[in-house]
Every structure is written in C-alpha cells, then in structure tokens.
Amino acid sequence: MTQFRKKNKRSLLSICMSFIYRKILSNCGENVMFDSIVYLMRNPQNIKLDDGAYIKANSRICPCNEDAQITIGKNTTIGYNTIIFSSQEITIGDNCMIAPNVYIVDSDHGMNKDQLMNQQENITNKIIIGNDVWIAAGAVILKGTMIPDGCIVAANSVVKGQLEAYSIYGGAPARKIGDRQ
C-alpha cells in the first residue's frame, strides 16, 4: 500500500457516498473513496469504478448519453477538479494517477463553415488509458487517444493519438520526450 493510500483512510462521508453510489453506478467496487463533493452526472448507471478507486473533490464524471461508458480501474486516483466526459467510451486502467485539473473528453464538434457550430454533429472516438499511467496536472486528453501501460504525460500537455508504452510525453501537442528507466 502506498503512503498516499495509508494516510487517506475512508471517511464516514466516503463510506456513505459509496453506499449510495452502489445503488446507481454500473459497478462500485470495494474500498472506493469519494471526497466531499464529486459529481457523477447524466447517466451514472454507465460508470464503473473498480476496487480502491479514489475520486477527489470537484471531479466531474459524465457519460453524456445512454450509450456512453466510463470505466476506472483498480487503485486509480482521479485528481481534484478533473473532468471526464464521454459520448462513446473512456477506459482508465489500474493503478493510474490522474492529477488535478485534467480534462478527458472523447468527442468534439464538426467544423463545417456552412453550418452554425452549435448545430453540428458530435464526433466521437474512444479513449483508452492503460495501467500504471501518470497524467500530470492540467493535461488534456482528446478523442481517439490510446495511452498504453506505463506512460507519463507531462503537465499541461495536449494528447491525441497513439502513444508508446513506458514513454514520457509533453507539450501541446504532446510529443515523446523520453522513456521510463
């Protein structure tokens, strides 16, 4: 057990929230922790939280339609103020660290100049984040992204596309800047 998990015991509020969320989520595993205010929006029945997931305060997790799915793996931490909006599918693996203020979204809008922006089709493509991934503060993960096992994404990076396992990425747009040793 990491130092972080040893020092962050489940509060009475977290236990109560887990009890309530077990009734409405697709899956709410054992020892899931919630901070005081967590927003599980629109279609919470399409959210799966595996054992030991920790969702910190002011995070917003939203399957945006009845078919959208969000899965968060074992012992994964979702940082303060993180936004995860899915119109198709977002999967986050086990033992991941998602830092504060990360934005993960699997859709965007069409850009046809002959039509108003707010009337254009929502274009989706799933996001898959592997196991043992660290996404640092302020990163943006866009539709169609595959972050394989062991990757690190630097703070304030903008990520789209296929990354290499056990590599380090940074920048906007994100580029490979190193390998984990």
Side-chain angles (χ1 to χ4, degrees), residues 105-107 124-128 142-146 160-162:
V105 61
D106 69 358
S107 67
T124 66
N125 197 348
K126 65 184 171 183
I127 294 172
I128 299 173
L142 300 173
K143 71 177 170 70
T145 295
M146 168 59 176
K160 182 174 173 81
Q162 173 79 38

Side-chain angles (χ1 to χ4, degrees), residues 140 153-154 156-160 163 168-177:
V140 176
V153 175
N156 298 313
S157 296
V158 178
V159 182
K160 182 174 173 81
L163 307 187
I168 303 167
Y169 287 80
R175 305 244 188 266
K176 184 175 177 181
I177 57 176

Side-chain angles (χ1 to χ4, degrees), residues 24-161:
I24 61 173
L25 297 178
S26 173
N27 180 61
C28 186
E30 296 298 317
N31 299 314
V32 171
M33 291 191 285
F34 297 97
D35 270 352
S36 57
I37 300 172
V38 172
Y39 302 94
L40 303 179
M41 303 163 60
R42 293 192 196 162
N43 294 285
Q45 72 278 6
N46 296 347
I47 299 171
K48 298 175 186 172
L49 302 176
D50 212 334
D51 298 343
Y54 188 0
I55 315 299
K56 292 188 177 180
N58 294 318
S59 294
R60 286 165 168 72
I61 302 174
C62 180
C64 296
N65 60 61
E66 292 178 0
D67 298 322
Q69 300 290 318
I70 297 174
T71 302
I72 298 174
K74 291 180 183 172
N75 301 315
T76 288
T77 300
I78 305 298
Y80 299 103
N81 306 311
T82 290
I83 296 173
I84 303 172
F85 274 38
S86 176
S87 291
Q88 183 178 353
E89 179 183 354
I90 297 174
T91 302
I92 301 172
D94 298 340
N95 302 300
C96 294
M97 297 184 301
I98 311 295
N101 303 307
V102 170
Y103 182 64
I104 303 172
V105 61
D106 69 358
S107 67
D108 60 22
H109 293 278
M111 297 182 286
N112 184 333
K113 69 179 182 176
D114 297 328
Q115 188 177 11
L116 295 173
M117 293 297 292
N118 65 359
Q119 295 177 3
Q120 296 197 35
E121 183 180 359
N122 196 29
I123 302 166
T124 66
N125 197 348
K126 65 184 171 183
I127 294 172
I128 299 173
I129 299 171
N131 300 317
D132 187 31
V133 170
W134 174 21
I135 299 175
V140 176
I141 312 301
L142 300 173
K143 71 177 170 70
T145 295
M146 168 59 176
I147 302 176
D149 293 351
C151 277
I152 298 172
V153 175
N156 298 313
S157 296
V158 178
V159 182
K160 182 174 173 81

